[in-house]
């Protein structure tokens, strides 16, 4: 028997194994990755589902809308986040006088045209849909003063706007503001709206587009929804509601108001 060969053979299981400090760095990193992979993957999936749910909710039901200017003061302040009810006019309802609405101003307040890089536009739209960033420059929030068929005139002897011959006292106007410094006498075409800001001296609204092809009228199908609540900041949580200032206005002769 070759005893020398027996002495030189070594049991592989008896070979000393490296301790934790001696293990290769990549092996330790791989073990840590496997340990964290499960929880982090679940958290990422849950976050993705939450974002998708919020985007769907914002697209179809209620969308947060960040107020970027003072054109609707004192009703809405800069930095308010209003909750826009997208179902208000999609279940048989139509905008009414006194409603505060959010609408896409393309084709009425701004010209249709190049809207920039598609990817950048998508990112901005996603942020705006979650109320994290300012809305697109083509989105506006105003109050409905005239609907299809209405004759809206500024102003009577007391400086009030008249709708279908009825003077309207507007309690929501910014203190010190006149109903309008710009005289007008218009008839709102069917399927469109005449909209004004509550802070008339600081609002770019239907009056500023009187001489343009659309005449300052906003198509009803461009309305995104009705601003029903102020959701943020918490100290301003309240219902925006529809003003009853137009309760005494009769329907237009031959119109649908």
């Amino acid at each position: 028997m070759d005893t020398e060969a027996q002495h030189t053979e070594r049991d592989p299981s008896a070979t000393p194994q490296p301790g934790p400090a001696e293990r290769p760095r990549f092996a330790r990193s791989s073990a840590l990755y496997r340990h964290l992979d499960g929880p982090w993957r679940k958290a990422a999936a849950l976050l993705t589902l939450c974002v998708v749910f919020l985007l769907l909710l914002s697209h179809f039901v209620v969308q947060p809308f960040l107020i970027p200017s003072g054109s609707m003061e004192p009703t809405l302040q800069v930095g308010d986040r209003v909750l826009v009810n997208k179902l208000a006019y999609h279940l048989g309802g139509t905008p009414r006088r006194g409603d505060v609405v959010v609408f896409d101003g393309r084709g009425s307040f701004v010209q249709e045209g190049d809207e920039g890089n598609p990817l950048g536009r998508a990112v901005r739209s996603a942020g705006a849909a979650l109320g994290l960033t300012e809305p697109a420059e083509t989105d506006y929030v105003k109050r409905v003063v005239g609907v299809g068929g209405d004759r809206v005139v500024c102003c009577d002897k007391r400086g009030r706007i008249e709708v279908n011959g009825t003077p309207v006292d507007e309690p929501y106007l910014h203190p010190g503001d006149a109903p309008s410094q710009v005289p007008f006498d218009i008839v709102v075409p069917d399927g469109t709206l005449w909209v004004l800001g509550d802070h008339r001296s600081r609002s770019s609204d239907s009056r500023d587009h009187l001489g343009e092809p659309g005449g300052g009228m906003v198509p009803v199908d461009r309305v995104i929804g009705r601003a029903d609540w102020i959701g943020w900041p918490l100290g301003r949580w309240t219902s925006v509601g529809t003003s009853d200032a137009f309760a005494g206005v009769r329907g237009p002769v031959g119109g649908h108001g």
Side-chain angles (χ1 to χ4, degrees):
M1 179 180 295
D2 190 350
T3 56
E4 184 178 356
Q6 287 182 332
H7 288 297
T8 57
E9 290 178 354
R10 304 185 64 180
D11 184 358
S13 64
T15 303
Q17 300 296 316
E22 299 171 336
R23 292 175 185 170
R25 181 176 301 175
F26 73 87
R28 298 198 302 272
S29 300
S30 178
L32 179 63
Y33 174 79
R34 288 195 300 270
H35 177 72
L36 296 178
D37 182 45
W40 279 108
R41 182 176 295 177
K42 292 179 181 178
L46 181 60
L47 178 61
T48 301
L49 287 175
C50 289
V51 171
V52 170
F53 172 77
L54 290 175
L55 288 174
L56 289 174
L57 184 70
S58 174
H59 185 77
F60 293 106
V61 184
V62 176
Q63 176 182 341
F65 185 89
L66 176 62
I67 302 300
S69 73
S71 68
M72 283 297 293
E73 292 175 342
T75 306
L76 304 175
Q77 306 286 339
V78 176
D80 283 351
R81 284 173 172 80
V82 297
L83 302 180
V84 180
N85 181 359
K86 290 192 165 185
L87 299 179
Y89 307 129
H90 294 283
L91 298 176
T94 56
R96 299 182 298 171
R97 307 179 196 96
D99 285 359
V100 176
V101 298
V102 174
F103 61 93
D104 181 350
R106 289 176 298 172
S108 58
F109 279 31
V110 295
Q111 293 182 354
E112 300 274 7
D114 183 16
E115 298 172 21
N117 181 275
L119 178 59
R121 187 169 69 250
V123 172
R124 289 194 302 271
S125 296
L130 297 175
L132 301 177
T133 61
E134 290 190 0
E137 294 182 358
T138 56
D139 289 348
Y140 295 81
V141 55
K142 303 294 177 187
R143 189 180 298 273
V144 177
V145 173
V147 297
D150 282 347
R151 182 183 180 188
V152 187
V153 178
C154 176
C155 290
D156 70 359
K157 293 180 180 180
R158 291 177 53 187
R160 298 172 297 181
I161 286 177
E162 291 184 345
V163 181
N164 301 329
T166 302
V168 179
D169 292 308
E170 301 179 272
Y172 44 75
L173 288 181
H174 191 279
D177 271 9
S180 181
Q181 297 289 352
V182 179
F184 54 82
D185 185 345
I186 57 96
V187 175
V188 184
D190 285 342
T192 66
L193 306 171
W194 178 263
V195 297
L196 301 175
D198 290 356
H199 197 343
R200 299 283 160 82
S201 62
R202 292 185 57 187
S203 175
S204 176
D205 46 42
S206 289
R207 299 169 298 170
D208 295 274
H209 304 278
L210 280 167
E212 297 178 13
M217 310 298 173
V218 176
V220 172
D221 59 11
R222 288 287 195 173
V223 174
I224 296 170
R226 185 179 64 207
D228 281 352
W229 309 276
I230 299 175
W232 186 266
L234 294 179
R236 283 182 50 74
W237 172 266
T238 186
S239 170
V240 176
T242 298
S243 175
D244 60 1
F246 300 87
V249 175
R250 63 181 184 272
V253 178
H256 304 289

